[in-house]
Amino acid sequence: MTKKKKITFILNPKSGTHSKEEIPAMIEQILDKELFDIEICFTEYRGHAAEIAKHKVEESVDIVVAVGGDGTVNEVARSLVHTDTALAIIPCGSGNGLARHLCLPMDLKKAIGVINSCKVDKFDYGVINGMPFFCTCGMGFDAFISLKFAEAGKRGPITYVENVLKEGLKYKPETYEVSDDTGAKKYKAFLIACANASQYGNNAYIAPGATMKDGEMDVIVMEPFTALDAPQIAADLFMKTMHNNSKIKTFRTKTLHITRKAPGAIHYDGDPIMTDKDIDVHIEHQGIKILINPDATEDAGQPNPLLNAFSDFFNNINNVREDIERQGHRFQVINKVLLRKLTKL
């Protein structure tokens, strides 16, 4: 008889948009008890998932399952890097970036069912200023928005979202000196993202060609843009065509050093922290084991508050563009009238 694998589910009852009350019963019903010895733990505070996962590594648990959003996944995963304990994910967040990149089902029962296949592979992860990330990290506008949402508990009232958008419309691009293996370049940028996986979440593809197996990160530099450019950038984000946009510069590298003029926010998998003006990012090749979906198919995304903010931000810029066009047309009409009057003098 095959020895059972030890598996621990770590549930964050406060993360994401899904209720977690029914998940233990689902696990009991769906998971193959001939394959697994099952344990379920609930987190009680920020950082608790990382502590539980670390203890499970010490107890030689075979699989630790993160049940929650990208923040919970990051907490669990960073305790499992460079160990024999594999990560599994039941996506219950509002974005589910890593789960979507790995084409895991968004349906909870199907996600639990995937674990029964017990198919494990090795993947890369990234590190920014000592903090592990598994999807993306970055600085600039996305870090600014992440910080504002964190201050509001990420799911604050609509009025707060509107305030964030108003601030976002006034956001000023920064100047960065970016150094990789090929040398140093200066960019004035709206944001710089480093992608281990392809998307932020909800199928918003910041790096459509990114893979978690090549030992490199995709670096995306979004240069300053006008109101006329914004709608196309928003469309490219969801149509996997960011690399075709003239305002986007991309390259791949294993290591990156970035210097900006002043300290500020960065984010790792959407969690913001304040850091100094020097930022170091690198990729750890095949540093984590993850359960994968043997029947992987891409899943359609549903909106979440952060992506709604991005979308509304771009829509606001588009409204400004339309107003500029209307005003421009009005000025053209006025100018033609004045010109006719002047020619009659």
Side-chain angles (χ1 to χ4, degrees):
M1 183 176 176
T2 305
K3 183 181 177 182
K4 289 185 179 182
K5 293 184 179 296
K6 292 189 282 186
I7 185 168
T8 299
F9 291 80
I10 300 178
L11 280 74
N12 180 350
K14 295 182 180 179
S15 73
T17 56
H18 291 277
S19 170
K20 312 295 187 307
E21 292 180 3
E22 297 179 357
I23 292 178
M26 289 182 188
I27 293 169
E28 183 70 21
Q29 177 188 358
I30 298 168
L31 209 66
D32 190 339
K33 297 180 186 63
E34 293 186 2
L35 295 178
F36 301 105
D37 280 327
I38 304 166
E39 178 187 22
I40 299 174
C41 302
F42 291 88
T43 62
E44 299 175 4
Y45 48 84
R46 184 179 177 85
H48 194 196
E51 293 175 10
I52 296 170
K54 184 180 178 182
H55 290 316
K56 298 308 160 185
V57 169
E58 293 168 354
E59 294 171 7
S60 299
V61 169
D62 298 288
I63 302 165
V64 175
V65 187
V67 185
D70 290 327
T72 304
V73 171
N74 183 288
E75 277 196 38
V76 173
R78 67 181 184 237
S79 293
L80 306 184
V81 297
H82 305 293
T83 74
D84 290 328
T85 302
L87 168 73
I89 303 169
I90 297 179
C92 299
S94 51
N96 303 311
L98 185 58
R100 290 186 188 278
H101 175 88
L102 296 169
C103 297
L104 297 174
M106 294 299 106
D107 179 88
L108 297 181
K109 291 182 178 180
K110 291 180 180 178
I112 296 168
V114 164
I115 297 171
N116 284 329
S117 68
C118 213
K119 187 174 182 181
V120 176
D121 203 351
K122 290 183 178 181
F123 292 93
D124 305 338
Y125 73 96
V127 180
I128 178 168
N129 280 11
M131 300 302 300
F133 67 93
F134 301 88
C135 280
T136 64
C137 72
M139 61 225 68
F141 182 69
D142 55 353
F144 166 83
I145 287 293
S146 295
L147 185 65
K148 292 300 178 183
F149 271 85
E151 290 171 353
K154 289 194 177 180
R155 290 168 188 84
I158 295 299
T159 52
Y160 189 86
V161 174
E162 291 172 351
N163 290 335
V164 170
L165 296 175
K166 288 176 184 177
E167 292 187 56
L169 286 167
K170 297 182 287 185
Y171 181 81
K172 301 296 183 184
E174 296 184 63
T175 299
Y176 302 90
E177 183 173 306
V178 180
S179 304
D180 65 358
D181 297 336
T182 64
K185 291 182 180 179
K186 277 194 175 181
Y187 295 98
K188 188 173 184 180
F190 189 69
L191 65 83
I192 297 178
C194 301
N196 180 47
S198 58
Q199 59 169 286
Y200 283 130
N202 275 342
N203 298 326
Y205 289 88
I206 188 65
T211 169
M212 295 176 65
K213 301 195 55 92
D214 61 356
E216 293 184 316
M217 69 185 102
D218 285 40
V219 182
I220 302 91
V221 180
M222 184 181 291
E223 296 181 336
F225 53 85
T226 68
L228 294 171
D229 301 314
Q232 185 59 51
I233 292 173
D236 288 334
L237 190 64
F238 290 93
M239 293 174 64
K240 300 186 181 182
T241 52
M242 290 287 281
H243 56 291
N244 293 330
N245 194 295
S246 63
K247 296 297 180 181
I248 306 296
K249 301 290 183 290
T250 63
F251 59 93
R252 286 178 176 163
T253 184
K254 294 179 181 179
T255 61
L256 194 67
H257 180 79
I258 299 171
T259 302
R260 53 190 174 183
K261 289 184 177 179
I266 61 173
H267 80 87
Y268 55 98
D269 289 340
D271 278 340
I273 54 171
M274 298 298 292
T275 188
D276 62 25
K277 63 181 182 179
D278 290 308
I279 301 160
D280 287 290
V281 191
H282 73 273
I283 290 292
E284 292 281 344
H285 186 42
Q286 295 188 355
I288 184 165
K289 294 180 177 180
I290 304 177
L291 263 73
I292 61 173
N293 181 5
D295 304 311
T297 55
E298 291 196 42
D299 187 89
Q302 298 296 324
N304 71 53
L306 182 56
L307 285 174
N308 280 342
F310 274 106
S311 177
D312 289 346
F313 171 75
F314 286 122
N315 285 338
N316 281 351
I317 292 180
N318 195 31
N319 290 337
V320 172
R321 175 186 66 80
E322 290 174 351
D323 186 57
I324 290 169
E325 289 177 346
R326 285 195 298 270
Q327 292 295 331
H329 179 70
R330 180 168 170 264
F331 291 147
Q332 286 176 1
V333 172
I334 292 170
N335 285 341
K336 286 179 181 178
V337 173
L338 287 172
L339 186 61
R340 282 197 300 268
K341 288 183 177 180
L342 287 171
T343 54
K344 291 179 181 178
L345 292 176

